Amino acid sequence: MSVCGGITMMISLELFFTNDHLPELKNILLLLLFLSSILVVVLLGFILSKTARLKFSGDSLSQEIQKMTQQVHYFRDIADILLRSSVWAPGLKEYIDEEFSSLNYFLVKEFYKGRSKLALEYIEEKDRYGETEILYLETKALLLNDPSKSSVKGYMNPKEYDVRMLKKWTEHKVGMGWNHYFGFKYNQFKEELDIHRVYERHQERILKYAIQLDPIRYRGMGFSEELISKLGMHLSEEVLPQLLSLTSQSVRKVPKVITVAYILIVLLVIFGVIQPTITLLFGLHVVFGFISITVVVSIIFFLMLSIYPFVKREING
């Protein structure tokens, strides 16, 4: 609408101004120069204040991400202890790590996509160890830093987790296997998963990590299948989805309002400052003055029409 008004104004100015009105045009251009300079300063101030607010919220977001990242570190350390422990049925680890060394949990869960013949072979052969093979693969998956890999030898906790990895963990609810096999179904699998085979010093480390994760939730709990079950639910239902959400927010683009403000500043500098100045200094054709007036007035109308919806959004959060 402001563009149409600007075009109409330009035609009107062209019809109205003659050589007799050139002094008035110069005065208008001087006023235009002054107004444009003020608007540029105001818009720059707006961009800087908005950027400062985004930086503040970004710092808060960064602190939350660091907190949740550390929690994932603790869960991975617990997974590492469980993988290396004797909780598994004899022969299970060798069976998976040797026969299916190139297979990971995600390929099995996505076998229907047909990307892995090994996944189909695994499905045909599974249940040798009472279905706990898939739990072993799931626990290994938590130590992966790349969803396309399968080896977890010499794993290290990264400074930050890749969004792709977080999406895979969340999509396939990594951690729920702990809740399932060590939870209400433990009686069915306790021959294949003997929690008492975990060394005492490893039990103490897992308890320590649990307290660091949530001292209230795990207060007074001893090492047991119930603890592992509860940890799995905590990881799958809370920690991984929250970290994925926070990480996705941290990579958001520059807000549209800042982009629009920047474009308006560029237009004001070109048509409201530079062009009127050159027109006045070098006595350019009056059409350049008309263009400047049209563009600046269009911008003012645009700002007038946009400010209320913007303020309303800001107030409503």
Side-chain angles (χ1 to χ4, degrees):
M1 192 191 322
S2 58
V3 174
C4 295
I7 294 171
T8 303
M9 176 175 287
M10 184 172 174
I11 295 171
S12 302
L13 289 169
E14 182 74 40
L15 294 172
F16 175 75
F17 276 101
T18 62
N19 290 333
D20 295 335
H21 295 92
L22 287 180
E24 288 87 344
L25 179 60
K26 289 181 179 179
N27 290 333
I28 291 173
L29 289 178
L30 285 171
L31 178 61
L32 194 73
L33 187 59
F34 176 71
L35 287 174
S36 297
S37 301
I38 292 177
L39 284 174
V40 167
V41 171
V42 170
L43 288 171
L44 276 174
F46 168 76
I47 289 177
L48 291 175
S49 66
K50 192 76 174 174
T51 303
R53 287 172 57 189
L54 288 172
K55 185 178 183 303
F56 176 77
S57 63
D59 291 341
S60 301
L61 185 63
S62 179
Q63 291 176 5
E64 282 296 310
I65 289 175
Q66 288 177 14
K67 176 184 173 183
M68 300 307 296
T69 296
Q70 183 57 60
Q71 291 200 357
V72 176
H73 290 350
Y74 290 144
F75 278 111
R76 281 162 57 97
D77 292 337
I78 291 170
D80 180 54
I81 293 172
L82 290 176
L83 278 179
R84 293 186 289 105
S85 76
S86 300
V87 69
W88 313 99
L92 182 147
K93 290 196 286 187
E94 293 76 14
Y95 170 65
I96 295 295
D97 293 340
E98 293 174 14
E99 290 294 316
F100 298 98
S101 58
S102 299
L103 185 66
N104 70 30
Y105 180 69
F106 308 118
L107 289 174
V108 174
K109 296 295 284 186
E110 298 172 2
F111 74 94
Y112 54 87
K113 294 182 180 179
R115 288 188 292 199
S116 172
K117 291 182 179 179
L118 199 60
L120 294 174
E121 289 180 22
Y122 164 81
I123 290 170
E124 290 174 358
E125 290 190 24
K126 75 172 186 175
D127 297 347
R128 286 192 177 190
Y129 297 90
E131 300 181 15
T132 56
E133 306 98 317
I134 194 67
L135 178 63
Y136 181 74
L137 283 172
E138 181 181 347
T139 305
K140 279 182 70 174
L142 189 57
L143 297 183
L144 297 176
N145 290 330
D146 184 335
S148 66
K149 304 296 183 183
S150 59
S151 175
V152 297
K153 290 181 180 178
Y155 92 98
M156 292 182 65
N157 288 325
K159 186 177 180 181
E160 57 186 36
Y161 290 100
D162 183 73
V163 173
R164 288 187 311 134
M165 195 72 249
L166 291 171
K167 283 181 177 178
K168 281 290 185 182
W169 284 334
T170 304
E171 177 188 353
H172 296 297
K173 293 186 173 295
V174 169
M176 284 305 290
W178 293 0
N179 177 253
H180 176 75
Y181 286 88
F182 290 102
F184 59 93
K185 290 280 189 178
Y186 185 65
N187 285 334
Q188 180 180 336
F189 300 106
K190 62 182 178 181
E191 290 187 10
E192 289 81 12
L193 298 170
D194 189 347
I195 200 73
H196 301 293
R197 288 199 294 256
V198 178
Y199 293 131
E200 188 173 337
R201 68 178 186 278
H202 290 166
Q203 294 181 19
E204 292 173 357
R205 283 180 61 195
I206 291 175
L207 276 170
K208 178 184 173 182
Y209 288 134
I211 294 299
Q212 289 174 313
L213 282 163
D214 192 328
I216 297 175
R217 188 189 307 235
Y218 301 108
R219 180 191 300 162
M221 289 193 70
F223 182 79
S224 65
E225 65 275 8
E226 182 187 356
L227 174 68
I228 303 300
S229 173
K230 207 167 184 178
L231 284 166
M233 177 72 80
H234 186 185
L235 171 66
S236 179
E237 295 297 309
E238 297 180 40
V239 175
L240 290 178
Q242 287 176 25
L243 182 55
L244 174 60
S245 176
L246 292 169
T247 304
S248 300
Q249 290 177 48
S250 71
V251 294
R252 62 188 175 183
K253 297 179 180 179
V254 175
K256 184 179 178 181
V257 67
I258 291 182
T259 304
V260 171
Y262 178 75
I263 293 171
L264 293 178
I265 286 175
V266 172
L267 291 174
L268 284 167
V269 169
I270 294 173
F271 295 101
V273 177
I274 296 175
Q275 189 164 290
T277 302
I278 294 175
T279 302
L280 291 170
L281 288 176
F282 298 101
L284 299 181
H285 194 278
V286 293
V287 72
F288 291 103
F290 298 158
I291 292 173
S292 294
I293 295 170
T294 302
V295 172
V296 174
V297 171
S298 297
I299 290 173
I300 292 172
F301 271 112
F302 174 78
L303 289 171
M304 290 173 62
L305 293 171
S306 303
I307 193 166
Y308 177 73
F310 171 74
V311 171
K312 187 177 179 180
R313 284 197 304 271
E314 288 291 296
I315 291 173
N316 294 331

